[in-house]
Structure formats: C-alpha cells, structure tokens
Amino acid sequence: GQKSCVYLQNSGLGNIIKRGVNMVIYANQLLRSAYPAMVSTAENILHHGRAYESKDQCMGIKDILNLIADHAD
C-alpha cells in the first residue's frame, strides 16, 4: 500500500485512527518534555556537586542496555 505522511494538528488519537493512520510520532512533545527533566537533573547535580543524588531521576544502565538490545534488529 501507499505510505504517506499526514500532519493533523489538534486532532485526537481516535480521529487520527479513523483517518487510517497507523502510526503517530509525538517527537515534538517528547523532546519538549525531556528538556525540563534534563534541566532538573542538571540543577540537582550542580546543587549537590555530584550526580549521586540524581540517580532516581535516571534510567539504570541495565535498563538502557536492555533497551538497546531489544531494538538492535
């Protein structure tokens, strides 16, 4: 089938699916939500002078490695 890119601003997910879209990428929202988390972690590191106190805000190394391994193919 033919593939196309559709931009549907302010459409709910239900409306998007009804139009036949089978993938939605919320890259803008994901990037915009990631930045405040990074700022918070950076401020925490600066406040404490080390990264240890920020460990609860971060993914574990094992989780990152599993994420990479799960998507390696």
Side-chain angles (χ1 to χ4, degrees), residues 3-49:
K3 306 283 184 193
S4 62
C5 181
V6 179
Y7 179 73
L8 300 169
Q9 183 177 4
N10 299 324
S11 292
L13 190 55
N15 290 332
I16 293 171
I17 292 170
K18 286 178 189 175
R19 291 176 180 241
V21 175
N22 60 11
M23 179 187 295
V24 177
I25 301 173
Y26 291 101
N28 183 33
Q29 292 80 7
L30 294 173
L31 181 60
R32 288 169 47 207
S33 66
Y35 182 76
M38 290 187 282
V39 169
S40 175
T41 302
E43 288 173 343
N44 200 23
I45 292 169
L46 288 172
H47 175 76
H48 293 284

